[in-house]
C-alpha cells in the first residue's frame, strides 16, 4: 500500500468517525442526507462520471439547481465538484433548458422534451464533441430542478448512472400539501410540534427552515402548499398577513412551490365590513374580486383558494340559500383571470343528523356535476367518513365526470396513532388509488379519475393534509417522514409501488446496507395493517376517543350529534356488530356503480376488510378463516399487537446499523406504540364483549385491566387541537 | 513539502470544506460547538497535552463526563482521544473524585478539595510517577462534570492549559431556570417557539433534546429547573403527570439538574377534592404532606416548589385570611424532610389598586421577615415593577436579614423586544447585582444579599425566567443564547464581568478570530442600553402595548386596573413627565436604606437613568447634557435607533467570518429590530409631544407616520400568551 493510499484511507476513516459521532442525527435533513457513498466501487464510478458541473443560466431556480447539485455531490462523492459555466472537462454533468443552456440546446432534445411537458425532465447520458456528458434537461427551470433531485436520488440509492435514459413527467397537475395550521401556530390534528409558520417574525425574518421545507417538497415534486387551516381565519386575507404570505411565497418560488390560502366564506363580513357573504350579491362578488387583485399584487403567482364551507360549523353559501357551486364559482371568478384555482372541499355534512353520514357528500355534490367553473376542483377525501385507519373509496370518485375531483389524503395521523405510531401510509393511499370505481367499466380506477384520464379533466389535483410541524425532525415520528415522501412520490407517479417508495426512502434516509433496508422495508409495509388490526379491524370505524381522537372510545355515545359518537358507527348489539349500509340499511352501497355496489352489498362477496363497514354481522357468523366473527375480531386485535411487537424485535436487531440517536428515537416510540396497541385491543374487546357475551379465545392474551378502568382514562392536553 | 504534509493539508482542507458548507449551522449546538481549533500552534499544544483520557468510575454522571470529554476533545483536537480506565501514556487527562479514581486519590488533593465544596472543582497540571497529567478533580461526580466543561471551555477559547491551577466553586447554591411553560406547550412570555416538554409523549419518549438541554445547563453550572408556569395548573401534581416529570428528572439527573414544580395553591381543592386550601387546615396540610410523599416516591431528589400566590389572580393563603408565611411554611413542612425547598415569589400585588404598585411587595413581605421556615426562600424580581428594560434594584434586597432572598431575573425578553431583539442582558444583571443597598453600610451590594454573605443566609438562590423553546436554536434569536449563558455564568460567579462572559460566549459559539470577537463583543455590550434608549429612556417604564407587551403603548389608559395602564406610570402632563416617588409623591424611595433613599429622592443626585422613575420632571428641566428634558428624551430615543443601525453596520462588515446561515439569521433580525426601534421612537415621541408641545429637535429624524397611525397598529397573535 503506497503512501497515497494510506492517506486516502486515513481520510476515509476520519470522515467516518466524524459523521458517526459528532454530527447530530436528529432527522432534520430528511431524505436529503447526502452522506458519502459507502460502496467503494459505486463511489469511484460516480466520481468518474461527474468531474464537473455545468449549470448555465442564473434564474433563482437554476441557482437552486446548482446549489443543490453542488451540495449533494460534495456530500455523496466526498469531495467538491467544480462548477463552471462552460464544459471544460471530460465527464461533465450538465443541467438546464434549451433556453438557458447552449450545451442543452446543442443536444437537440426537442422531440424528447415535448413528451415531458412543463414540469417533466430527461436524464440522459450523451456525447458532445467527443465529451461524455450526463444531462439533466427540461423545458422549464423547475423541470431541471426536479430532474436534479431525481439524479441525486439515483446516487443516494446506488443506481447505475453510466447510461441514463429517463423521461419523467407528473401524472397530476396540482400536487399540494394542506397545512391545517392556525395563525396562533397551533395545528389542528398536528402531532409534530407547532406550525412552521412564524407569523410574528414574518415578513422580516425568513427562517432557513422555510427554504429547506421548499427544497424537501421540490425533491419529491410537490408544487403547492395551502398555508392555513381549512377551519379558516379571515385575518390571513388582511394586508398585514398578505405581506407575510408574500414573503413565504418569495422564499418558496425558486423551488416551484406555489402558495394557496384558505378562504373563510364569511370574510366579506368579518374583515370587509359587509352585511352579507351571499355569493350572488354583487357587493360580495366585488369584494372578493378586489381582494383577489390585492392578493395578486402581493403574490403574482398565487395559487388560489381552498375552501371548507357549510361543514362542521364553517360558514358557506348554504347560509344564504345558495349551493356549493354558487359559492365556488364566485371565488373561481375572482381568481380566474390570474390563473388561480379554487379547491372546494366535499367534506361536508349538514346540520341535521343524517341516517348515514357516509352518504352526504355524494348527495350534495353529485347533482352539481357540470355546474362548476373550469378552474374549480372538488376536493374529496379518500373515504366518505373521515380519514379512518381504513375506508372503502369515496363513492364520489367516478360519479362526477364533468367536474375535476381532487384527492384529499391525510399524511398526518389523526386516527392513526398520531405522533407515536409507526404507520407507513403508502399502502393505504395505493388501496384507494387502485380501487376500481367501474364508472366507465372495469379498470376505471380512482387513480384514473384523479389523474384526469378517465373523464378527461383539464385540471387535476391531489392534496395531502400535512404532518409537518416545528419538531426538529419535521414530522414528530421519524417514520412520519416516509409518509410525506410517499405522498409526494405518488402525487408525481401513482404507479410507483409502496415497496419501491419505501426502499428509496430507507436508503436515502438511513443507509443502503441491505441488512438494514430489507427488514425496515418489511416493517413499513406491514405497519399500516397492524394499526388497522389493533384499532379498527374488519371494517370497524370511528370508535376513537372523544374530541382529541386519541386512543379507543367505542363506548362514546349520547353526544349532541349522533354521528359524532362511536355507537352510531359500530352499532354493536347482542346480535352482532357493524353498520348495515345495504338495501336493508342505509343503502349507501347504492352510491357506488353497480358492480361495486353488488360486491360491497353482498356479505359473501364484500372484501373482509370492509365487512363491518357495510354489514351488521352476527357474532357467530363464520368469516373466511373459519372462525366466528367474535373470535376473528379478538384474533385481529391481538394480531395487531403482535405485529407491533414484531416491529420492535426487528428494530432492536438493527442497533448499530443506524446512528444511536435515531435508533433510540424509533425504539422508544415503538415501545409507546406497543402500550397503545394493547390499550386499543383490551379496551375494544372488553367493550364489545359486553354485547357478544362470548369469551376471548383462550390462547390470546387477556386484558390487563377492567373495562371500567379503560373507560376512566381521560388523556389531557393531547396535541392536535 | 513531502507527501505526508500534502496529505495532512488535503485533510485539513477537506475538513474545512465540510464544516463550511455541509453542516447546518442552525444554532442547535449552542456554545458547545467543539469545532476544531483553528490556531495551529494551540492545536498542537492541546494535542500534546491530551494524549489519553482516563475517567475511572462508572456512575451516570461520570459516564456523562467521559462522553462529553471524548466528544469535545475529538471535535476540538480534530482526532479521537483514546479513553482508558488506566493511565497508559504520557500526557493524560484524568477526571474524577478521590472516591472514584485511584489516580485522583494518589494526588492527595484533600486540602485543596476542601475549599471547593460539593459542586466545585480543581483543574490542575500535575506529575505522577513521572507522567505529566492534566487533572479535573472534585469532591463529587457533578463537580467533575462542571470541571470538565470548564476544561473544554479553556480549549474552546484558546487558553493556555500547560500549567493549570484553577479552583472554582459556585457562590450561590440554587441556580435555577424558571420555565413559564403551560401543559398545552404554550409558553407565557416565550418567544422561541413552544415548550420543550412534550408532555403527551412522556414518560415513554425521551427526546435527545432533553439531554442536550441538561448538558447545556450543566456546562454553565445551572443545577435546577422549574418545569412549569408560575401561573400554575394543578394537573401537573397528578400521578399521570408526576410519572412524566419523573422521566424528565431521570434524564436530567446525570447532569446535576434537579427538577422543581410550581404548586397551585388551590390544588387540594382542584385535584384533592377538599373544600378548602387554607394552609392552617389540618386536612389541607395532610393533603400536601401526602402529595409530597407521592412526588418523592417518583422523584427521590425532587427540588421543591415555586409558588406564585395572591398575585394577578392566582389563589393563595390570603384567600383564607392567612399570610404569605403561613402559605409558604405549610408547603415547606411538606418537603422539608426530603430536602426540598420552597421558593415563594414576592411578585405580588393586591386586588385593590395601589397608589404605587412599586411599594407593594416590600409592604407585604418586610413585616414577615423571620417568620419563614428554614427551607423557604423568598424570590424577588430584580426590580419592583416587572422586568422593565431598566429598573432600580428592588427595595426588598437588604431589607429581610432573616429571610433568604432569591434573585429572579428574566432571561426571556418580555419587555425587551421579545424574539426579534438583540439585547445582551449581562450588563442589566450586573447593574442590579452591583447596586449598593447600604443595608449594612457601604458595600452591601445586592449580590452579597443574594449570595448570603451579607446576612449569612443558609439557603441561597438565583432564578432566571427561561428564554428557551422548541425553536431549532433554542432561544429564537441566536443572541438570546448569550443571555442563557450569561445567567448561568453569573449564577456561578457574579464577579465575572459582562465583557468576559461575552468574550467566552462569542468564541465558543462562533470563532476565536479577534476580527470577529472584538466587534461582536462591543455590539453586545452596548445592545441593552440601545433598547433602553429607544423604549424607555431616563427611567420611563411600563409604556408597552396592551396585554402582549409588544411594541410601544404609552397611550394605554382606562383599563380595569389603573396600574396595568401606561399613563399610571409615565404621568405625562403639560408640565412634565415621570412618577414622583419622593416624599411629595408616593414616597417609594423611603423603602430604600437612607443613603439610597437620599440619592434617589433628590432630583439633582438621582442617576439620570432613573430620573423619571423617581421624579416628575418639567419639560424644560436641564439634564446633565445641558439639554432640556424634552430634547434629551428626543435625543435618547433617536440614539437608540442609531445604536441599532450601528449594530447593523458592524454585523454586515462581518459577512464571511461566520457561516452564512447564522449570518443571515442575525442580519434579518437586526433589520426587524431597526424597524421596531423606529416604531418605538416615533410613537413615543409623537405621543409625549402632545403634552410637551415642543418640537422634535431639527437635527433628528422626523416620525414617518402620524400618532393616529401608531395608535391604530394592533398586532395579532403575538407570541408569548
Amino acid at each position: 500500500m503506497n503512501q497515497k493510499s494510506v492517506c486516502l484511507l486515513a481520510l476515509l476513516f476520519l470522515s467516518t468517525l466524524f459523521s458517526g459521532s459528532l454530527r447530530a442525527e436528529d432527522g432534520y435533513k430528511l431524505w436529503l442526507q447526502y452522506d458519502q457513498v459507502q460502496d467503494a466501487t459505486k463511489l469511484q464510478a460516480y466520481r468518474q462520471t461527474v468531474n464537473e458541473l455545468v449549470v448555465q443560466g442564473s434564474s433563482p431556480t437554476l441557482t437552486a439547481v446548482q446549489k443543490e447539485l453542488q451540495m449533494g455531490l460534495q456530500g455523496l462523492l466526498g469531495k467538491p465538484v467544480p462548477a463552471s459555466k462552460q464544459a471544460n472537462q471530460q465527464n461533465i454533468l450538465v443541467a438546464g433548458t434549451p433556453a438557458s443552456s447552449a450545451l442543452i440546446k446543442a443536444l437537440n432534445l426537442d422531440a424528447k422534451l415535448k413528451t415531458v411537458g412543463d414540469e417533466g425532465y430527461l436524464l440522459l447520458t450523451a456525447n458532445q464533441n467527443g465529451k461524455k456528458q450526463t444531462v439533466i434537461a427540461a423545458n422549464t427551470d423547475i423541470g431541471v430542478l426536479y430532474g436534479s433531485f431525481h439524479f441525486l436520488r439515483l446516487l443516494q440509492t446506488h443506481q447505475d448512472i453510466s447510461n441514463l435514459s429517463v423521461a419523467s413527467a407528473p401524472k397530476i397537475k396540482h400536487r399540494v400539501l394542506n397545512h391545517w395550521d392556525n395563525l396562533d401556530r397551533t395545528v389542528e390534528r398536528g402531532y409534530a410540534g407547532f406550525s412552521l409558520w412564524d407569523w410574528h417574525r414574518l415578513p422580516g425574518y425568513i427562517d432557513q427552515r422555510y427554504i429547506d421545507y421548499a427544497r424537501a417538497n421540490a425533491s419529491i415534486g410537490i408544487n403547492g402548499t395551502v398555508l392555513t387551516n381549512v377551519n379558516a381565519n379571515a385575518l390571513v386575507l388582511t394586508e398585514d398577513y398578505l405581506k407575510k404570505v408574500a414573503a413565504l411565497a418569495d422564499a418558496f418560488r425558486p423551488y416551484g412551490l406555489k402558495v394557496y390560502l384558505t378562504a373563510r366564506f364569511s370574510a366579506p363580513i368579518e374583515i370587509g365590513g359587509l352585511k352579507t357573504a351571499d355569493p350572488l350579491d354583487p357587493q360580495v362578488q366585488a369584494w372578493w374580486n378586489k381582494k383577489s387583485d390585492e392578493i395578486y399584487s402581493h403574490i403574482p403567482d398565487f395559487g388560489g383558494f381552498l375552501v371548507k364551507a357549510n361543514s362542521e360549523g364553517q360558514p358557506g353559501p348554504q347560509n344564504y340559500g345558495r349551493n356549493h357551486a354558487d359559492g365556488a364559482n364566485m371565488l373561481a371568478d375572482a381568481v380566474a383571470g390570474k390563473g388561480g384555482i379554487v379547491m372546494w372541499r366535499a367534506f361536508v355534512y349538514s346540520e341535521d343528523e343524517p341516517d348515514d353520514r357516509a352518504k352526504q357528500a355524494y348527495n350534495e355534490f353529485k347533482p352539481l356535476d357540470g355546474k362548476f367553473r373550469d378552474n374549480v376542483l372538488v376536493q374529496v377525501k379518500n373515504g366518505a367518513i373521515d380519514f379512518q385507519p381504513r375506508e372503502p373509496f369515496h363513492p364520489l370518485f367516478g360519479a362526477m365526470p364533468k367536474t375535476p375531483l381532487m384527492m384529499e389524503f391525510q399524511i398526518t395521523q389523526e386516527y392513526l396513532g398520531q405522533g407515536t405510531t409507526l404507520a407507513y401510509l403508502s399502502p393505504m393511499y395505493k388501496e384507494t388509488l387502485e380501487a376500481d370505481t367501474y364508472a366507465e367499466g372495469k379498470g376505471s380506477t380512482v387513480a384514473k379519475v384523479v389523474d384526469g384520464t378517465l373523464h378527461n379533466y383539464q385540471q387535476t389535483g391531489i392534496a395531502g393534509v400535512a404532518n409537518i410541524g416545528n419538531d426538529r425532525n419535521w414530522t414528530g415520528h421519524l417514520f412520519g417522514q416516509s409518509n410525506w415522501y410517499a405522498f409526494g412520490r405518488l402525487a408525481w407517479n401513482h404507479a410507483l409501488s409502496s415497496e419501491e417508495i419505501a426502499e428509496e426512502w430507507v436508503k436515502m434516509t438511513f443507509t443502503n446496507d441491505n441488512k438494514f433496508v430489507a427488514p425496515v422495508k418489511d416493517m413499513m409495509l406491514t405497519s399500516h395493517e397492524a394499526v388497522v388490526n389493533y384499532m379498527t379491524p374488519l371494517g370497524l370505524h370511528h370508535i376513537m376517543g372523544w374530541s382529541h381522537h386519541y386512543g379507543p372510545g367505542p363506548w362514546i355515545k349520547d353526544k349532541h350529534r349522533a354521528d359524532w359518537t362511536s355507537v352510531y358507527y359500530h352499532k354493536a348489539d347482542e346480535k352482532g356488530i357493524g353498520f348495515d349500509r345495504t338495501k336493508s340499511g342505509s343503502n349507501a352501497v347504492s352510491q357506488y356503480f353497480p358492480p361495486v355496489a353488488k360486491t360491497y352489498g353482498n356479505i359473501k362477496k364484500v372484501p373482509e376488510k370492509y365487512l363491518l363497514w357495510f354489514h351488521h354481522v352476527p357474532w357467530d357468523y363464520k368469516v373466511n378463516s373459519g372462525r366466528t366473527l367474535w373470535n376473528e375480531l379478538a384474533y385481529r386485535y391481538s394480531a395487531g399487537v403482535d405485529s407491533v411487537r414484531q416491529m420492535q424485535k426487528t428494530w432492536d436487531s438493527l442497533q448499530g446499523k443506524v446512528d444511536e440517536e435515531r435508533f433510540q428515537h424509533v425504539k422508544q416510540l415503538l415501545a409507546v406504540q406497543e402500550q397503545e396497541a394493547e390499550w386499543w385491543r383490551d379496551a375494544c374487546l372488553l367493550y364489545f364483549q359486553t354485547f357478544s357475551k362470548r369469551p376471548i379465545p383462550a390462547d390470546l392474551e387477556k386484558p390487563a385491566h377492567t373495562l371500567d378502568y379503560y373507560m376512566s382514562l381521560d388523556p389531557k392536553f393531547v396535541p392536535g387541537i
Side-chain angles (χ1 to χ4, degrees), chain A:
Chain A
M1 198 178 270
N2 65 20
Q3 182 132 18
K4 197 172 162 196
S5 311
V6 173
C7 169
L8 276 174
L9 265 184
L11 211 139
L12 270 174
F13 173 69
L14 269 190
S15 70
T16 312
L17 268 176
F18 273 90
S19 65
S21 62
L22 266 188
R23 203 183 45 201
E25 277 298 352
D26 59 8
Y28 179 79
K29 289 194 279 178
L30 296 162
W31 48 87
L32 302 172
Q33 297 273 336
Y34 301 146
D35 288 336
Q36 187 176 318
V37 173
Q38 293 300 307
D39 178 325
T41 317
K42 299 268 182 206
L43 178 62
Q44 200 185 1
Y46 294 157
R47 283 180 171 177
Q48 279 172 359
T49 305
V50 185
N51 250 331
E52 187 180 41
L53 170 64
V54 185
V55 183
Q56 295 167 321
S58 61
S59 71
T61 298
L62 288 173
T63 304
V65 164
Q66 171 156 341
K67 216 167 147 184
E68 194 71 33
L69 286 172
Q70 277 193 285
M71 181 168 67
L73 290 170
Q74 178 171 329
L76 288 159
L77 306 188
K79 61 165 199 175
V81 172
S84 160
K85 290 291 171 193
Q86 297 302 327
N88 301 312
Q89 310 211 23
Q90 272 288 359
N91 301 323
I92 64 164
L93 173 65
V94 54
T97 65
S100 68
S101 168
L103 283 167
I104 299 289
K105 193 169 171 55
L107 290 166
N108 292 317
L109 298 171
D110 292 9
K112 279 188 188 167
L113 279 172
K114 255 188 198 155
T115 66
V116 298
D118 274 355
E119 295 185 295
Y121 52 83
L122 306 172
L123 304 184
L124 303 169
T125 304
N127 264 286
Q128 200 167 172
N129 305 326
K131 286 182 181 169
K132 193 175 172 193
Q133 297 182 349
T134 304
V135 177
I136 303 170
N139 295 305
T140 61
D141 292 352
I142 190 64
V144 180
L145 183 64
Y146 290 146
S148 300
F149 278 114
H150 187 144
F151 178 75
L152 289 168
R153 184 164 67 234
L154 295 177
L155 274 64
Q156 288 179 280
T157 55
H158 292 197
Q159 306 302 304
D160 186 3
I161 60 164
S162 64
N163 195 13
L164 290 174
S165 176
V166 173
S168 183
K171 291 190 194 299
I172 297 172
K173 188 173 174 188
H174 305 292
R175 304 175 300 280
V176 181
L177 288 183
N178 287 186
H179 287 268
W180 287 0
D181 291 18
N182 300 311
L183 299 183
D184 65 0
R185 298 189 70 184
T186 55
V187 180
E188 185 167 327
R189 312 308 177 186
Y191 314 102
F194 292 78
S195 174
L196 283 187
W197 323 132
D198 184 355
W199 294 108
H200 178 65
R201 297 203 287 183
L202 285 166
Y205 179 65
I206 298 296
D207 198 301
Q208 174 65 30
R209 193 152 194 171
Y210 301 147
I211 295 159
D212 289 331
Y213 165 83
R215 282 178 59 228
N217 280 317
S219 77
I220 49 176
I222 290 172
N223 65 1
T225 179
V226 185
L227 300 175
T228 45
N229 192 355
V230 288
N231 292 321
N233 187 330
L235 262 186
V236 81
L237 300 176
T238 59
E239 196 187 7
D240 273 3
Y241 275 88
L242 289 176
K243 285 178 185 164
K244 297 168 190 275
V245 172
L248 285 175
D250 291 344
F252 298 162
R253 191 170 294 111
Y255 295 91
L257 193 65
K258 268 194 189 181
V259 157
Y260 299 77
L261 292 174
T262 46
R264 184 159 163 91
F265 203 79
S266 49
I269 301 169
E270 290 161 12
I271 60 167
L274 300 189
K275 292 225 165 61
T276 176
D278 180 348
L280 301 193
D281 182 301
Q283 272 195 299
V284 173
Q285 294 170 349
W287 188 88
W288 280 109
N289 290 341
K290 210 175 143 207
K291 182 53 69 180
S292 169
D293 289 343
E294 185 189 351
I295 295 172
Y296 279 94
S297 77
H298 290 286
I299 311 147
D301 58 352
F302 178 66
F305 294 121
L306 169 64
V307 187
K308 172 176 179 176
N310 294 120
S311 172
E312 300 185 316
Q314 291 294 304
Q318 292 174 350
N319 300 32
Y320 307 96
R322 317 301 181 186
N323 65 33
H324 286 291
D326 295 327
N329 291 343
M330 172 192 62
L331 292 172
D333 289 342
V335 297
K338 294 107 174 180
I341 59 170
V342 170
M343 300 167 287
W344 193 271
R345 293 175 89 233
F347 178 70
V348 297
Y349 48 92
S350 62
E351 308 282 313
D352 314 317
E353 281 175 32
D355 66 324
D356 183 359
R357 205 178 87 190
K359 297 190 297 185
Q360 294 202 13
Y362 182 98
N363 289 342
E364 282 196 36
F365 277 84
K366 174 140 178 63
L368 298 175
D369 190 26
K371 304 236 163 84
F372 291 95
R373 295 282 189 274
D374 288 347
N375 60 332
V376 175
L377 297 98
V378 171
Q379 183 168 313
V380 184
K381 286 190 181 185
N382 57 300
I385 296 296
D386 186 9
F387 291 154
Q388 294 305 297
R390 165 168 281 139
E391 295 197 38
F393 72 91
H394 200 299
L396 269 176
F397 290 110
M400 296 183 70
K402 296 179 209 150
T403 310
L405 295 190
M406 186 166 173
M407 173 64 76
E408 179 177 311
F409 281 130
Q410 80 158 336
I411 309 173
T412 192
Q413 294 175 226
E414 176 177 358
Y415 303 92
L416 280 157
Q418 306 189 351
T420 45
T421 293
L422 194 164
Y424 173 55
L425 299 182
S426 179
M428 185 180 79
Y429 303 150
K430 294 283 291 185
E431 190 170 300
T432 303
L433 289 167
E434 290 174 353
D436 198 337
T437 68
Y438 283 86
E440 306 291 332
K442 193 167 163 53
S444 305
T445 60
V446 171
K448 285 186 185 168
V449 175
V450 173
D451 74 14
T453 52
L454 191 70
H455 290 131
N456 198 24
Y457 294 156
Q458 295 311 298
Q459 298 278 1
T460 57
I462 183 167
V465 179
N467 62 345
I468 301 164
N470 75 339
D471 272 5
R472 275 178 65 71
N473 71 4
W474 302 85
T475 54
H477 199 304
L478 191 61
F479 277 76
Q481 296 182 359
S482 71
N483 296 324
W484 181 6
Y485 185 83
F487 169 76
R489 297 289 287 132
L490 288 172
W492 184 276
N493 178 10
H494 55 68
L496 290 169
S497 73
S498 294
E499 191 175 349
E500 285 173 274
I501 297 170
E503 181 160 328
E504 279 178 10
W505 180 78
V506 174
K507 286 180 170 176
M508 294 165 78
T509 303
F510 295 105
T511 173
N512 278 259
D513 178 357
N514 197 47
K515 287 190 185 127
F516 183 88
V517 176
V520 173
K521 210 171 64 180
D522 284 352
M523 205 170 98
M524 290 169 72
L525 289 169
T526 55
S527 60
H528 170 250
E529 201 65 38
V531 176
V532 171
N533 274 335
Y534 69 69
M535 285 187 181
T536 52
L538 296 168
L540 284 173
H541 51 287
H542 207 292
I543 56 171
M544 65 288 161
W546 177 249
S547 178
H548 51 56
H549 298 177
Y550 173 66
W555 45 77
I556 303 288
K557 61 178 178 179
D558 298 334
K559 298 292 181 181
H560 64 289
R561 283 187 72 118
D563 59 345
W564 283 1
T565 68
S566 300
V567 298
Y568 175 93
Y569 292 98
H570 64 65
K571 302 205 188 298
D573 55 27
E574 297 206 354
K575 291 185 193 151
I577 183 170
F579 198 132
D580 183 359
R581 290 190 166 108
T582 67
K583 274 181 204 167
S584 59
S586 78
N587 204 19
V589 290
S590 68
Q591 293 183 334
Y592 289 101
F593 285 87
V596 181
K598 227 166 143 182
T599 308
Y600 287 177
N602 182 338
I603 193 171
K604 294 288 169 201
K605 291 191 177 160
V606 65
E608 206 166 68
K609 60 189 174 185
Y610 302 141
L611 180 63
L612 306 181
W613 190 282
F614 290 110
H615 300 273
H616 191 74
V617 183
W619 292 113
D620 287 327
Y621 179 81
K622 285 273 185 312
V623 300
N624 295 342
S625 64
R627 295 191 191 103
T628 64
L629 174 67
W630 166 251
N631 282 352
E632 182 69 14
L633 208 60
Y635 276 103
R636 293 283 181 121
Y637 271 108
S638 298
V641 174
D642 292 343
S643 301
V644 177
R645 291 175 184 162
Q646 186 52 52
M647 290 201 284
Q648 291 181 281
K649 267 188 208 151
T650 302
W651 189 255
D652 283 349
S653 76
L654 298 170
Q655 187 163 20
K657 292 199 161 45
V658 61
D659 55 282
E660 192 64 12
E661 184 169 343
R662 291 189 293 177
F663 175 80
Q664 289 297 342
H665 167 91
V666 175
K667 181 181 167 74
Q668 291 185 76
L669 289 177
L670 282 173
V672 173
Q673 188 174 349
E674 187 201 7
Q675 288 175 353
E676 291 173 346
E678 290 170 355
W679 175 25
W680 269 96
R681 176 195 64 188
D682 296 350
C684 290
L685 286 180
L686 285 172
Y687 171 75
F688 290 133
Q689 195 178 34
T690 64
F691 301 98
S692 78
K693 320 263 190 217
R694 285 155 177 81
I696 293 171
D699 55 329
L700 299 181
E701 259 177 40
K702 296 294 163 295
H705 303 278
T706 63
L707 178 59
D708 282 347
Y709 168 82
Y710 292 112
M711 289 178 69
S712 77
L713 295 180
D714 182 19
K716 298 288 196 303
F717 297 113
V718 176
I721 53 154

